[in-house]
């Protein structure tokens, strides 16, 4: 009998969308590239719309993928909003609830772009709200709908280095970046010093990447997430000591 594929929850956007005769209809959606990458790695993707009522759905999942999208609300890390910041509070609330519960359950977690930034904030860190002000160029988001490409390096011996062995260049599309990783370890950098990977080495699998692996021909971080989910299902009890919980994110008063 064929074993069940690991179920990977992929967090979703709520944005105006159009199809057939319909225009600007609020829709729950996620780029199909995420689903395709999970499926190619042997997983079963389940799309998770924003919902902060509870995180009970995690009981049905083997792994969690925090997808890219709009900016994380700066009130969550104690900053006033920059005029160029575009946040989605309902999505932040739903994903923080999922992430908090996933960490408590030692569920494998991968954060992509916005997802990596949310990881950093959940671990007590903060973000640069407009990266060009920091690095002096638009190379990480060259133009609307255009991905940048740049060199990347990884900390030797890190999970990111293991997953991305032999890779020295990635794509990107973001105007914000991790300023302070909080309780996470920074294990990847662009050539201009922008943080490209973070991880929690004390946990089974918690990895954040600033680029978009789902758009690569070889989406290694997604494959690594699915493999970690398979491993957890076969060995649900982690014999290692429970790691320190991340610092809670700042919330608005």
């Amino acid at each position: 009998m064929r074993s069940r594929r690991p179920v990977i929850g992929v967090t979703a956007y709520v944005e105006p969308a159009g199809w057939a005769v319909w225009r600007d209809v609020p829709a729950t959606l996620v780029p199909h590239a995420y689903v395709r990458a999970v499926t190619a790695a042997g997983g079963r993707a389940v799309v998770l719309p924003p919902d902060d009522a509870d995180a009970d759905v995690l009981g049905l999942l083997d792994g969690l993928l925090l997808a890219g999208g709009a900016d994380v609300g700066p009130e969550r890390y104690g900053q006033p909003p920059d005029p160029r910041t575009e946040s989605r509070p309902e999505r932040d609330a739903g994903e923080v609830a999922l992430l908090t519960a996933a960490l408590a359950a030692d569920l494998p977690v991968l954060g992509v772009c916005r997802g990596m930034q949310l990881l950093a904030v959940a671990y007590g860190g903060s973000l640069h709200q407009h990266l060009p002000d920091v690095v002096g160029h638009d190379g990480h988001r060259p133009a609307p709908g255009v991905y940048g490409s740049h060199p990347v390096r990884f900390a030797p011996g890190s999970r990111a280095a293991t997953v991305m062995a032999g890779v020295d260049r990635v794509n990107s599309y973001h105007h914000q970046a991790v300023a302070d990783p909080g309780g996470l370890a920074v294990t990847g950098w662009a050539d201009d010093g922008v943080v490209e990977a973070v991880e929690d080495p004390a946990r089974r699998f918690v990895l954040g990447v600033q680029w978009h692996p789902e758009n690569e021909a070889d989406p290694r971080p997604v494959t690594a997430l699915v493999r970690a989910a398979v491993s957890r299902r076969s060995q649900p009890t982690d014999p290692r000591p429970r790691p320190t919980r991340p610092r809670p994110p700042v919330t608005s008063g």
Side-chain angles (χ1 to χ4, degrees):
M1 183 176 178
R2 191 174 118 181
S3 61
R4 176 176 67 82
R5 288 182 289 169
V7 178
I8 307 298
V10 182
T11 59
Y13 310 13
V14 175
E15 301 288 347
W19 64 93
V21 298
W22 309 107
R23 296 293 180 270
D24 295 325
V25 178
T28 297
L29 54 87
V30 68
H32 186 65
Y34 289 101
V35 175
R36 185 174 60 240
V38 168
T39 303
R44 180 69 156 101
V46 174
V47 175
L48 304 176
D51 183 348
D52 65 348
D54 57 55
D56 291 355
V57 69
L58 292 180
L60 307 174
L61 304 181
D62 300 302
L64 177 65
L65 196 165
L66 301 169
D71 302 326
V72 176
E75 69 278 0
R76 290 193 171 269
Y77 48 95
Q79 292 184 11
D82 182 282
R84 295 159 293 189
T85 294
E86 297 183 11
S87 59
R88 301 289 187 274
E90 71 287 347
R91 186 173 174 192
D92 290 348
E95 292 188 1
V96 166
L98 286 174
L99 176 56
T100 300
L103 293 173
D106 202 21
L107 197 74
V109 176
L110 172 65
V112 170
C113 195
R114 165 200 156 87
M116 183 185 98
Q117 295 166 10
L118 187 74
L119 268 174
V121 171
Y123 272 77
S126 63
L127 307 179
H128 297 299
Q129 289 193 55
H130 193 61
L131 188 57
D133 291 348
V134 178
V135 297
H137 63 80
D138 294 312
H140 294 270
R141 190 177 70 173
V146 177
Y147 284 85
S149 176
H150 56 78
V152 66
R153 61 184 176 88
F154 301 102
S158 65
R159 184 181 297 278
T162 300
V163 170
M164 300 301 291
V167 174
D168 61 6
R169 196 169 190 89
V170 294
N171 65 58
S172 66
Y173 189 78
H174 60 101
H175 83 113
Q176 298 198 332
V178 170
D180 173 4
L184 292 168
V186 176
T187 55
W189 303 264
D191 55 335
D192 57 7
V194 169
V195 174
E196 289 290 323
V198 295
E199 58 191 76
D200 185 346
R203 290 181 183 269
R204 185 190 303 270
F205 186 95
V206 173
L207 175 66
V209 298
Q210 186 58 72
W211 69 94
H212 283 270
E214 76 281 4
N215 290 330
E216 300 282 7
D218 183 5
R220 297 184 186 191
V222 179
T223 301
L225 171 67
V226 173
R227 289 175 178 170
V230 171
S231 175
R232 178 182 182 272
R233 198 169 62 188
S234 62
Q235 299 176 338
T237 302
D238 191 341
R240 295 172 297 178
R242 292 296 298 168
T244 302
R245 295 185 67 180
R247 288 177 279 166
V250 176
T251 57
S252 59

